[in-house]
mmCIF file of all heavy atoms in Angstrom:
data_model
loop_
_atom_site.group_PDB
_atom_site.id
_atom_site.type_symbol
_atom_site.label_atom_id
_atom_site.label_comp_id
_atom_site.label_asym_id
_atom_site.label_seq_id
_atom_site.Cartn_x
_atom_site.Cartn_y
_atom_site.Cartn_z
ATOM 1 N N GLY B 1 58.910 74.263 57.337
ATOM 2 C CA GLY B 1 57.874 74.912 58.136
ATOM 3 C C GLY B 1 58.420 75.500 59.421
ATOM 4 O O GLY B 1 58.047 76.609 59.814
ATOM 5 N N VAL B 2 59.318 74.787 60.078
ATOM 6 C CA VAL B 2 59.927 75.292 61.313
ATOM 7 C C VAL B 2 60.766 76.533 61.021
ATOM 8 O O VAL B 2 60.664 77.550 61.717
ATOM 9 C CB VAL B 2 60.779 74.196 61.991
ATOM 10 C CG1 VAL B 2 61.632 74.774 63.104
ATOM 11 C CG2 VAL B 2 59.891 73.092 62.532
ATOM 12 N N LEU B 3 61.593 76.459 59.972
ATOM 13 C CA LEU B 3 62.443 77.607 59.643
ATOM 14 C C LEU B 3 61.616 78.818 59.211
ATOM 15 O O LEU B 3 61.944 79.960 59.553
ATOM 16 C CB LEU B 3 63.441 77.224 58.561
ATOM 17 C CG LEU B 3 64.525 76.231 58.992
ATOM 18 C CD1 LEU B 3 65.380 75.827 57.820
ATOM 19 C CD2 LEU B 3 65.366 76.789 60.111
ATOM 20 N N LEU B 4 60.540 78.595 58.482
ATOM 21 C CA LEU B 4 59.692 79.715 58.075
ATOM 22 C C LEU B 4 58.948 80.324 59.263
ATOM 23 O O LEU B 4 58.734 81.534 59.316
ATOM 24 C CB LEU B 4 58.718 79.268 56.991
ATOM 25 C CG LEU B 4 59.370 78.942 55.646
ATOM 26 C CD1 LEU B 4 58.338 78.372 54.689
ATOM 27 C CD2 LEU B 4 60.056 80.143 55.054
ATOM 28 N N SER B 5 58.567 79.495 60.223
ATOM 29 C CA SER B 5 57.907 80.055 61.408
ATOM 30 C C SER B 5 58.904 80.848 62.256
ATOM 31 O O SER B 5 58.542 81.856 62.854
ATOM 32 C CB SER B 5 57.242 78.955 62.232
ATOM 33 O OG SER B 5 58.213 78.098 62.781
ATOM 34 N N ILE B 6 60.158 80.412 62.289
ATOM 35 C CA ILE B 6 61.192 81.192 62.988
ATOM 36 C C ILE B 6 61.384 82.530 62.290
ATOM 37 O O ILE B 6 61.471 83.580 62.941
ATOM 38 C CB ILE B 6 62.513 80.398 63.057
ATOM 39 C CG1 ILE B 6 62.366 79.234 64.019
ATOM 40 C CG2 ILE B 6 63.662 81.299 63.495
ATOM 41 C CD1 ILE B 6 63.533 78.269 64.000
ATOM 42 N N ALA B 7 61.417 82.494 60.952
ATOM 43 C CA ALA B 7 61.561 83.746 60.201
ATOM 44 C C ALA B 7 60.361 84.664 60.450
ATOM 45 O O ALA B 7 60.495 85.887 60.462
ATOM 46 C CB ALA B 7 61.704 83.449 58.710
ATOM 47 N N ARG B 8 59.196 84.084 60.681
ATOM 48 C CA ARG B 8 57.996 84.887 60.928
ATOM 49 C C ARG B 8 58.061 85.612 62.270
ATOM 50 O O ARG B 8 57.658 86.768 62.377
ATOM 51 C CB ARG B 8 56.762 83.984 60.893
ATOM 52 C CG ARG B 8 55.488 84.712 61.212
ATOM 53 C CD ARG B 8 54.319 83.743 61.333
ATOM 54 N NE ARG B 8 53.140 84.424 61.770
ATOM 55 C CZ ARG B 8 52.735 84.471 63.023
ATOM 56 N NH1 ARG B 8 53.417 83.880 63.969
ATOM 57 N NH2 ARG B 8 51.626 85.114 63.350
ATOM 58 N N ILE B 9 58.581 84.950 63.290
ATOM 59 C CA ILE B 9 58.548 85.560 64.621
ATOM 60 C C ILE B 9 59.750 86.449 64.908
ATOM 61 O O ILE B 9 59.774 87.114 65.937
ATOM 62 C CB ILE B 9 58.426 84.500 65.730
ATOM 63 C CG1 ILE B 9 59.657 83.611 65.771
ATOM 64 C CG2 ILE B 9 57.161 83.707 65.594
ATOM 65 C CD1 ILE B 9 59.857 82.940 67.079
ATOM 66 N N ILE B 10 60.742 86.457 64.016
ATOM 67 C CA ILE B 10 61.928 87.276 64.280
ATOM 68 C C ILE B 10 61.577 88.753 64.443
ATOM 69 O O ILE B 10 62.150 89.446 65.272
ATOM 70 C CB ILE B 10 62.981 87.064 63.168
ATOM 71 C CG1 ILE B 10 63.725 85.782 63.445
ATOM 72 C CG2 ILE B 10 63.946 88.219 63.074
ATOM 73 C CD1 ILE B 10 64.763 85.449 62.433
ATOM 74 N N GLY B 11 60.627 89.237 63.695
ATOM 75 C CA GLY B 11 60.285 90.652 63.758
ATOM 76 C C GLY B 11 59.219 91.001 64.770
ATOM 77 O O GLY B 11 58.786 92.152 64.836
ATOM 78 N N GLU B 12 58.798 90.060 65.581
ATOM 79 C CA GLU B 12 57.747 90.344 66.556
ATOM 80 C C GLU B 12 58.241 91.319 67.619
ATOM 81 O O GLU B 12 59.293 91.134 68.211
ATOM 82 C CB GLU B 12 57.277 89.049 67.234
ATOM 83 C CG GLU B 12 56.482 88.136 66.341
ATOM 84 C CD GLU B 12 55.115 88.665 65.990
ATOM 85 O OE1 GLU B 12 54.553 89.477 66.760
ATOM 86 O OE2 GLU B 12 54.603 88.270 64.938
ATOM 87 N N THR B 13 57.480 92.352 67.849
ATOM 88 C CA THR B 13 57.857 93.380 68.806
ATOM 89 C C THR B 13 56.980 93.344 70.059
ATOM 90 O O THR B 13 57.475 93.559 71.159
ATOM 91 C CB THR B 13 57.720 94.771 68.155
ATOM 92 O OG1 THR B 13 58.463 94.764 66.948
ATOM 93 C CG2 THR B 13 58.243 95.851 69.048
ATOM 94 N N ALA B 14 55.707 93.057 69.895
ATOM 95 C CA ALA B 14 54.771 93.136 71.011
ATOM 96 C C ALA B 14 55.139 92.224 72.181
ATOM 97 O O ALA B 14 55.131 92.682 73.334
ATOM 98 C CB ALA B 14 53.353 92.854 70.530
ATOM 99 N N PRO B 15 55.468 90.939 71.948
ATOM 100 C CA PRO B 15 55.813 90.113 73.118
ATOM 101 C C PRO B 15 57.030 90.640 73.883
ATOM 102 O O PRO B 15 57.056 90.603 75.111
ATOM 103 C CB PRO B 15 56.108 88.735 72.513
ATOM 104 C CG PRO B 15 55.390 88.712 71.225
ATOM 105 C CD PRO B 15 55.396 90.120 70.734
ATOM 106 N N VAL B 16 58.014 91.147 73.164
ATOM 107 C CA VAL B 16 59.209 91.666 73.836
ATOM 108 C C VAL B 16 58.853 92.904 74.653
ATOM 109 O O VAL B 16 59.273 93.053 75.804
ATOM 110 C CB VAL B 16 60.317 91.995 72.808
ATOM 111 C CG1 VAL B 16 61.545 92.543 73.497
ATOM 112 C CG2 VAL B 16 60.666 90.779 71.986
ATOM 113 N N LEU B 17 58.059 93.782 74.083
ATOM 114 C CA LEU B 17 57.699 95.023 74.761
ATOM 115 C C LEU B 17 56.819 94.757 75.978
ATOM 116 O O LEU B 17 57.032 95.335 77.050
ATOM 117 C CB LEU B 17 56.974 95.947 73.779
ATOM 118 C CG LEU B 17 56.837 97.402 74.160
ATOM 119 C CD1 LEU B 17 58.201 98.001 74.449
ATOM 120 C CD2 LEU B 17 56.161 98.170 73.054
ATOM 121 N N VAL B 18 55.849 93.859 75.845
ATOM 122 C CA VAL B 18 54.927 93.588 76.945
ATOM 123 C C VAL B 18 55.600 92.794 78.060
ATOM 124 O O VAL B 18 55.377 93.056 79.242
ATOM 125 C CB VAL B 18 53.681 92.821 76.426
ATOM 126 C CG1 VAL B 18 52.834 92.282 77.558
ATOM 127 C CG2 VAL B 18 52.854 93.723 75.534
ATOM 128 N N LEU B 19 56.441 91.844 77.698
ATOM 129 C CA LEU B 19 56.944 90.898 78.691
ATOM 130 C C LEU B 19 58.299 91.248 79.307
ATOM 131 O O LEU B 19 58.633 90.734 80.362
ATOM 132 C CB LEU B 19 57.023 89.495 78.084
ATOM 133 C CG LEU B 19 55.657 88.912 77.734
ATOM 134 C CD1 LEU B 19 55.807 87.633 76.953
ATOM 135 C CD2 LEU B 19 54.837 88.688 78.988
ATOM 136 N N VAL B 20 59.121 92.093 78.674
ATOM 137 C CA VAL B 20 60.377 92.452 79.316
ATOM 138 C C VAL B 20 60.728 93.914 79.194
ATOM 139 O O VAL B 20 61.636 94.362 79.875
ATOM 140 C CB VAL B 20 61.580 91.609 78.844
ATOM 141 C CG1 VAL B 20 61.209 90.288 78.405
ATOM 142 C CG2 VAL B 20 62.440 92.220 77.851
ATOM 143 N N GLY B 21 60.102 94.647 78.342
ATOM 144 C CA GLY B 21 60.487 96.041 78.175
ATOM 145 C C GLY B 21 61.672 96.158 77.243
ATOM 146 O O GLY B 21 61.943 95.274 76.449
ATOM 147 N N TYR B 22 62.407 97.248 77.343
ATOM 148 C CA TYR B 22 63.520 97.475 76.425
ATOM 149 C C TYR B 22 64.733 97.963 77.185
ATOM 150 O O TYR B 22 64.630 98.740 78.120
ATOM 151 C CB TYR B 22 63.126 98.502 75.355
ATOM 152 C CG TYR B 22 64.250 98.836 74.412
ATOM 153 C CD1 TYR B 22 64.704 97.910 73.497
ATOM 154 C CD2 TYR B 22 64.874 100.072 74.463
ATOM 155 C CE1 TYR B 22 65.747 98.200 72.636
ATOM 156 C CE2 TYR B 22 65.920 100.382 73.610
ATOM 157 C CZ TYR B 22 66.347 99.442 72.692
ATOM 158 O OH TYR B 22 67.379 99.729 71.843
ATOM 159 N N SER B 23 65.875 97.500 76.751
ATOM 160 C CA SER B 23 67.152 97.954 77.308
ATOM 161 C C SER B 23 68.085 98.277 76.157
ATOM 162 O O SER B 23 68.069 97.609 75.137
ATOM 163 C CB SER B 23 67.759 96.840 78.173
ATOM 164 O OG SER B 23 69.054 97.187 78.561
ATOM 165 N N ARG B 24 68.903 99.270 76.319
ATOM 166 C CA ARG B 24 69.868 99.622 75.277
ATOM 167 C C ARG B 24 71.067 98.685 75.291
ATOM 168 O O ARG B 24 71.816 98.612 74.343
ATOM 169 C CB ARG B 24 70.339 101.056 75.458
ATOM 170 C CG ARG B 24 69.256 102.062 75.097
ATOM 171 C CD ARG B 24 69.690 103.463 75.296
ATOM 172 N NE ARG B 24 70.068 104.337 74.234
ATOM 173 C CZ ARG B 24 69.604 104.404 72.997
ATOM 174 N NH1 ARG B 24 68.770 103.516 72.586
ATOM 175 N NH2 ARG B 24 70.000 105.324 72.164
ATOM 176 N N SER B 25 71.256 97.967 76.374
ATOM 177 C CA SER B 25 72.403 97.062 76.468
ATOM 178 C C SER B 25 71.929 95.615 76.345
ATOM 179 O O SER B 25 70.771 95.300 76.598
ATOM 180 C CB SER B 25 73.124 97.258 77.794
ATOM 181 O OG SER B 25 72.253 96.961 78.855
ATOM 182 N N ILE B 26 72.852 94.760 75.986
ATOM 183 C CA ILE B 26 72.534 93.343 75.830
ATOM 184 C C ILE B 26 72.564 92.678 77.196
ATOM 185 O O ILE B 26 73.502 92.846 77.971
ATOM 186 C CB ILE B 26 73.531 92.668 74.874
ATOM 187 C CG1 ILE B 26 73.389 93.282 73.478
ATOM 188 C CG2 ILE B 26 73.311 91.166 74.824
ATOM 189 C CD1 ILE B 26 74.403 92.771 72.484
ATOM 190 N N ASN B 27 71.539 91.919 77.487
ATOM 191 C CA ASN B 27 71.418 91.190 78.743
ATOM 192 C C ASN B 27 71.471 89.700 78.418
ATOM 193 O O ASN B 27 70.622 89.187 77.706
ATOM 194 C CB ASN B 27 70.099 91.568 79.428
ATOM 195 C CG ASN B 27 69.899 90.814 80.718
ATOM 196 O OD1 ASN B 27 70.774 90.126 81.205
ATOM 197 N ND2 ASN B 27 68.709 90.944 81.269
ATOM 198 N N PHE B 28 72.456 88.999 78.932
ATOM 199 C CA PHE B 28 72.616 87.575 78.632
ATOM 200 C C PHE B 28 71.855 86.675 79.595
ATOM 201 O O PHE B 28 71.783 85.470 79.378
ATOM 202 C CB PHE B 28 74.104 87.202 78.630
ATOM 203 C CG PHE B 28 74.849 87.806 77.487
ATOM 204 C CD1 PHE B 28 75.719 88.860 77.702
ATOM 205 C CD2 PHE B 28 74.670 87.344 76.201
ATOM 206 C CE1 PHE B 28 76.407 89.436 76.653
ATOM 207 C CE2 PHE B 28 75.345 87.915 75.138
ATOM 208 C CZ PHE B 28 76.222 88.960 75.359
ATOM 209 N N ASP B 29 71.296 87.236 80.656
ATOM 210 C CA ASP B 29 70.525 86.450 81.624
ATOM 211 C C ASP B 29 69.058 86.448 81.199
ATOM 212 O O ASP B 29 68.371 87.461 81.335
ATOM 213 C CB ASP B 29 70.682 87.051 83.018
ATOM 214 C CG ASP B 29 70.011 86.212 84.093
ATOM 215 O OD1 ASP B 29 69.544 85.102 83.783
ATOM 216 O OD2 ASP B 29 69.950 86.684 85.243
ATOM 217 N N ILE B 30 68.571 85.316 80.704
ATOM 218 C CA ILE B 30 67.196 85.279 80.186
ATOM 219 C C ILE B 30 66.159 85.239 81.290
ATOM 220 O O ILE B 30 64.964 85.362 81.008
ATOM 221 C CB ILE B 30 66.986 84.099 79.217
ATOM 222 C CG1 ILE B 30 67.157 82.771 79.927
ATOM 223 C CG2 ILE B 30 67.880 84.215 78.024
ATOM 224 C CD1 ILE B 30 66.675 81.587 79.130
ATOM 225 N N PHE B 31 66.565 85.052 82.520
ATOM 226 C CA PHE B 31 65.604 84.982 83.617
ATOM 227 C C PHE B 31 65.547 86.255 84.461
ATOM 228 O O PHE B 31 64.855 86.287 85.467
ATOM 229 C CB PHE B 31 65.920 83.782 84.520
ATOM 230 C CG PHE B 31 65.729 82.471 83.821
ATOM 231 C CD1 PHE B 31 66.813 81.735 83.394
ATOM 232 C CD2 PHE B 31 64.462 81.985 83.574
ATOM 233 C CE1 PHE B 31 66.643 80.536 82.746
ATOM 234 C CE2 PHE B 31 64.275 80.790 82.921
ATOM 235 C CZ PHE B 31 65.361 80.056 82.505
ATOM 236 N N ASP B 32 66.255 87.302 84.056
ATOM 237 C CA ASP B 32 66.248 88.528 84.854
ATOM 238 C C ASP B 32 66.545 89.737 83.977
ATOM 239 O O ASP B 32 67.462 89.719 83.158
ATOM 240 C CB ASP B 32 67.308 88.430 85.956
ATOM 241 C CG ASP B 32 67.263 89.624 86.893
ATOM 242 O OD1 ASP B 32 66.151 90.108 87.184
ATOM 243 O OD2 ASP B 32 68.343 90.065 87.323
ATOM 244 N N GLY B 33 65.761 90.778 84.146
ATOM 245 C CA GLY B 33 66.045 92.069 83.527
ATOM 246 C C GLY B 33 65.476 92.268 82.135
ATOM 247 O O GLY B 33 64.923 91.363 81.524
ATOM 248 N N ASN B 34 65.616 93.509 81.685
ATOM 249 C CA ASN B 34 65.141 93.889 80.357
ATOM 250 C C ASN B 34 66.069 93.346 79.278
ATOM 251 O O ASN B 34 67.219 93.024 79.536
ATOM 252 C CB ASN B 34 65.050 95.407 80.248
ATOM 253 C CG ASN B 34 63.991 95.978 81.163
ATOM 254 O OD1 ASN B 34 63.114 95.273 81.622
ATOM 255 N ND2 ASN B 34 64.090 97.262 81.439
ATOM 256 N N MET B 35 65.553 93.314 78.048
ATOM 257 C CA MET B 35 66.315 92.774 76.924
ATOM 258 C C MET B 35 66.362 93.793 75.790
ATOM 259 O O MET B 35 65.482 94.630 75.652
ATOM 260 C CB MET B 35 65.651 91.509 76.378
ATOM 261 C CG MET B 35 65.650 90.358 77.300
ATOM 262 S SD MET B 35 67.255 89.603 77.251
ATOM 263 C CE MET B 35 67.112 88.435 78.542
ATOM 264 N N ALA B 36 67.385 93.662 74.967
ATOM 265 C CA ALA B 36 67.481 94.450 73.743
ATOM 266 C C ALA B 36 67.013 93.582 72.579
ATOM 267 O O ALA B 36 67.205 92.371 72.578
ATOM 268 C CB ALA B 36 68.923 94.875 73.515
ATOM 269 N N SER B 37 66.351 94.200 71.613
ATOM 270 C CA SER B 37 65.942 93.470 70.406
ATOM 271 C C SER B 37 65.969 94.431 69.223
ATOM 272 O O SER B 37 65.801 95.642 69.381
ATOM 273 C CB SER B 37 64.563 92.852 70.581
ATOM 274 O OG SER B 37 63.567 93.822 70.532
ATOM 275 N N LEU B 38 66.164 93.874 68.042
ATOM 276 C CA LEU B 38 66.252 94.725 66.855
ATOM 277 C C LEU B 38 64.952 95.481 66.559
ATOM 278 O O LEU B 38 64.995 96.664 66.244
ATOM 279 C CB LEU B 38 66.683 93.888 65.654
ATOM 280 C CG LEU B 38 68.161 93.510 65.637
ATOM 281 C CD1 LEU B 38 68.455 92.576 64.478
ATOM 282 C CD2 LEU B 38 69.025 94.732 65.557
ATOM 283 N N PRO B 39 63.778 94.834 66.621
ATOM 284 C CA PRO B 39 62.556 95.605 66.351
ATOM 285 C C PRO B 39 62.350 96.773 67.313
ATOM 286 O O PRO B 39 61.924 97.857 66.912
ATOM 287 C CB PRO B 39 61.436 94.574 66.484
ATOM 288 C CG PRO B 39 62.083 93.271 66.226
ATOM 289 C CD PRO B 39 63.474 93.404 66.757
ATOM 290 N N LEU B 40 62.679 96.564 68.589
ATOM 291 C CA LEU B 40 62.527 97.657 69.552
ATOM 292 C C LEU B 40 63.607 98.721 69.363
ATOM 293 O O LEU B 40 63.365 99.897 69.622
ATOM 294 C CB LEU B 40 62.548 97.120 70.977
ATOM 295 C CG LEU B 40 61.297 96.333 71.368
ATOM 296 C CD1 LEU B 40 61.454 95.748 72.750
ATOM 297 C CD2 LEU B 40 60.066 97.202 71.290
ATOM 298 N N LEU B 41 64.782 98.317 68.916
ATOM 299 C CA LEU B 41 65.817 99.292 68.594
ATOM 300 C C LEU B 41 65.346 100.192 67.459
ATOM 301 O O LEU B 41 65.517 101.415 67.512
ATOM 302 C CB LEU B 41 67.125 98.595 68.203
ATOM 303 C CG LEU B 41 68.230 99.529 67.720
ATOM 304 C CD1 LEU B 41 68.833 100.290 68.888
ATOM 305 C CD2 LEU B 41 69.274 98.768 66.958
ATOM 306 N N ILE B 42 64.740 99.603 66.448
ATOM 307 C CA ILE B 42 64.207 100.401 65.333
ATOM 308 C C ILE B 42 63.171 101.386 65.846
ATOM 309 O O ILE B 42 63.189 102.567 65.497
ATOM 310 C CB ILE B 42 63.609 99.474 64.252
ATOM 311 C CG1 ILE B 42 64.716 98.668 63.579
ATOM 312 C CG2 ILE B 42 62.835 100.271 63.214
ATOM 313 C CD1 ILE B 42 64.205 97.566 62.680
ATOM 314 N N TYR B 43 62.271 100.909 66.687
ATOM 315 C CA TYR B 43 61.209 101.765 67.212
ATOM 316 C C TYR B 43 61.763 102.920 68.051
ATOM 317 O O TYR B 43 61.343 104.062 67.904
ATOM 318 C CB TYR B 43 60.229 100.924 68.035
ATOM 319 C CG TYR B 43 59.131 101.727 68.650
ATOM 320 C CD1 TYR B 43 58.082 102.214 67.879
ATOM 321 C CD2 TYR B 43 59.139 102.022 70.014
ATOM 322 C CE1 TYR B 43 57.071 102.964 68.448
ATOM 323 C CE2 TYR B 43 58.133 102.770 70.582
ATOM 324 C CZ TYR B 43 57.115 103.236 69.794
ATOM 325 O OH TYR B 43 56.114 103.985 70.353
ATOM 326 N N THR B 44 62.713 102.626 68.918
ATOM 327 C CA THR B 44 63.231 103.686 69.788
ATOM 328 C C THR B 44 64.127 104.663 69.031
ATOM 329 O O THR B 44 64.157 105.838 69.362
ATOM 330 C CB THR B 44 64.013 103.100 70.981
ATOM 331 O OG1 THR B 44 65.060 102.272 70.495
ATOM 332 C CG2 THR B 44 63.104 102.325 71.892
#
């Protein structure tokens, strides 16, 4: 159940877009700045 729920949220785009925006570069600091994600990369 845990692994299937992780698989379910991998493609979520809305939380990433609403809460951090999008960056073309990878940001390793989870407490500052925009983030890159595969769903948003597909969209852009």
Side-chain angles (χ1 to χ4, degrees):
V2 169
L3 291 175
L4 291 174
S5 66
I6 289 171
R8 177 187 174 263
I9 65 158
I10 280 179
E12 289 290 335
T13 306
V16 179
L17 196 56
V18 169
L19 294 171
V20 332
Y22 177 70
S23 172
R24 288 179 103 34
S25 61
I26 296 175
N27 178 8
F28 291 107
D29 185 7
I30 64 167
F31 294 105
D32 185 37
N34 294 342
M35 294 281 173
S37 73
L38 285 175
L40 289 175
L41 174 74
I42 292 170
Y43 178 74
T44 57

